[in-house]
Amino acid sequence: MLTEPLYGWTDFQLEGTSVYGLSYLDDIAFEWLDQAIHGLETLYPFCVKGFLEPGRMLCTVSYWNCHIVLEKDERNPLGEKDIDLQYSHTSMLEFCKYLYDDIRGNVDKWTEFLDYPKENLVEKKQRLLQKLERLKELIAEKEECFGENRCFL
């Protein structure tokens, strides 16, 4: 879902969607983990974002699907040609598992992805590992909610 960070960039892609190059202007690991944790804690859809430079990618993670919106980063009213919509049959639980795996697999690089303001990287890595552990716990705890014959109201 997220490629290994390289020079302040990562690629994001879900099954059936395009590849989106996201920049370091968002601290993706921390921001996306916060949203995913809140989503699983509340079992409520959540949204993550990233800057494409130019433009913005918004991904709404719902129960059974993800909805991706690409929009120009302008104050002017948007027209049809200014917005691109895609979707993926990726559930909230799958999204969270992919997020966990991708960040955990490159935890050092994700710790350093956004390097301003200057922070103690040891402390920052510890905070990232704590968030990953919480997400892992929630994935295990909420797994049955996404089983066969389950639905959300």
Side-chain angles (χ1 to χ4, degrees):
M1 181 174 82
L2 290 169
T3 61
E4 178 179 328
L6 184 63
Y7 306 120
W9 289 87
T10 185
D11 287 338
F12 168 69
Q13 182 179 29
L14 293 172
E15 184 178 340
T17 72
S18 300
V19 176
Y20 308 104
L22 306 179
S23 82
Y24 67 93
L25 293 177
D26 289 298
D27 202 350
I28 290 172
F30 287 87
E31 294 170 16
W32 288 28
L33 282 170
D34 285 343
Q35 293 299 317
I37 288 167
H38 180 73
L40 284 182
E41 284 176 342
T42 61
L43 285 179
Y44 203 77
F46 61 91
C47 184
V48 295
K49 72 175 183 74
F51 276 103
L52 305 166
E53 294 189 46
R56 178 182 300 109
M57 185 275 317
L58 305 168
C59 178
T60 300
V61 180
S62 192
Y63 303 108
W64 306 113
N65 298 284
C66 292
H67 309 270
I68 297 173
V69 177
L70 301 180
E71 64 179 11
K72 291 184 178 179
D73 188 28
E74 298 178 0
R75 290 180 179 252
N76 302 328
L78 298 174
E80 275 187 46
K81 63 184 176 210
D82 297 322
I83 300 172
D84 183 26
L85 304 171
Q86 294 191 358
Y87 66 91
S88 174
H89 185 57
T90 301
S91 73
M92 182 186 296
L93 190 69
E94 290 169 322
F95 183 95
C96 290
K97 286 178 179 180
Y98 296 148
L99 184 63
Y100 175 86
D101 290 343
D102 293 344
I103 294 173
R104 187 66 184 102
N106 290 295
V107 73
D108 289 329
K109 290 188 178 185
W110 282 112
T111 300
E112 300 169 358
F113 185 67
L114 184 125
D115 63 355
Y116 66 87
K118 291 295 181 192
E119 296 181 64
N120 179 317
L121 290 179
V122 173
E123 292 173 9
K124 189 175 181 185
K125 181 178 178 180
Q126 187 59 37
R127 284 188 301 125
L128 186 57
L129 290 170
Q130 288 170 346
K131 289 179 187 293
L132 285 166
E133 185 58 33
R134 178 64 180 140
L135 184 61
K136 183 179 176 181
E137 292 168 0
L138 286 166
I139 289 169
E141 179 182 315
K142 303 297 184 177
E143 185 103 35
E144 73 179 65
C145 296
F146 292 86
E148 289 294 318
N149 301 318
R150 298 304 296 249
C151 68
F152 298 92
L153 301 176

